[in-house]
Amino acid sequence: MKNEPLYHMPCPIARSLGRVGDGWSMLIMRDALAGFTRFDEFQKSSGVAPNILSRRLKELVEDGLLEKVCYSTTPARYEYHLTPAGRDFRGVILALAEWGSNHFSPEGRQMQLVETATQRPVKLQLVDSENGQPLTLDKYQMVPGPAAVPMMHYRHDYLQKKRAGDTTQKFAPPALSEKQS
């Protein structure tokens, strides 16, 4: 289910979660990225109730992650194909799989990323595409972008001071205006 308050926030993480933060939507995207395209495939793979699946598929189409494609006219039957935005979601799913395997699979990996040609297991790592360096917390950080609203600048400035050792400040962000919320 869409989370409208998140959907319209300026933060790209909040906006993304507003669209796919629901567990069922994430599982539908997992399955679409794996190659499932039909309603019954999604339903059987995830176990989601048909009414919930219908809503989530409709929302994922509205949000531009999937497109609905007719494959039979009598009766009308549809498949759901990934859009470019949907294909770009692969990195999120891979990162979640790696994180879940590392922290929540005491029995061992249920899934793993492999190189297709050799089936060699691959360890997922986010790197700087320009220099190949791992994106570690000590070397890389998120900062306000060119379109950042005042709240984003405030958060960043507050956290910079906190990291520098200023423990006297209180987090008191400016009130959100209509434009920011």
Side-chain angles (χ1 to χ4, degrees):
M1 179 179 297
K2 281 187 189 176
N3 185 325
E4 288 296 328
L6 292 178
Y7 199 88
H8 298 290
M9 290 180 78
C11 173
I13 296 168
R15 286 180 179 176
S16 299
L17 287 172
R19 287 162 174 82
V20 294
D22 168 84
W24 293 121
S25 297
M26 296 288 274
L27 292 177
I28 292 165
M29 289 304 297
R30 172 204 65 188
D31 288 348
L33 286 157
F36 291 115
T37 58
R38 296 191 176 172
F39 188 94
D40 65 317
E41 294 172 334
F42 291 120
Q43 201 279 320
K44 290 174 184 171
S45 176
S46 65
V48 61
N51 62 323
I52 294 171
L53 177 57
S54 291
R55 270 197 315 268
R56 298 306 185 276
L57 285 169
K58 181 177 184 273
E59 291 168 353
L60 290 167
V61 167
E62 288 172 358
D63 288 334
L65 282 91
L66 297 175
E67 66 178 329
K68 192 174 177 180
V69 177
C70 184
Y71 71 88
S72 174
T73 55
T74 312
R77 300 265 186 226
Y78 297 91
E79 290 183 327
Y80 296 87
H81 295 185
L82 291 162
T83 64
R87 284 189 292 279
D88 284 349
F89 196 69
R90 185 167 190 260
V92 175
I93 292 295
L94 292 176
L96 275 173
E98 185 70 15
W99 181 67
S101 292
N102 287 339
H103 298 286
F104 307 113
S105 294
E107 71 283 354
R109 290 184 177 269
Q110 297 289 326
M111 299 170 54
Q112 64 182 7
L113 182 63
V114 298
E115 182 182 32
T116 303
T118 65
Q119 295 298 293
R120 175 184 58 85
V122 175
K123 177 87 169 148
L124 182 72
Q125 182 178 31
L126 295 176
V127 298
D128 180 331
S129 65
E130 195 169 302
N131 65 20
Q133 293 297 309
L135 300 180
T136 57
L137 284 172
D138 62 326
K139 291 184 180 178
Y140 294 84
Q141 66 174 313
M142 295 290 288
V143 300
V149 296
M151 173 59 164
M152 295 233 181
H153 287 283
Y154 178 84
R155 283 182 78 249
H156 178 261
D157 294 344
Y158 172 87
L159 290 169
Q160 290 292 97
K161 291 174 188 169
K162 185 173 180 176
R163 284 186 196 103
D166 183 351
T167 58
T168 61
Q169 62 177 350
K170 297 271 189 217
F171 187 67
L176 294 177
S177 70
E178 288 298 314
K179 181 181 176 187
Q180 293 179 23
S181 59

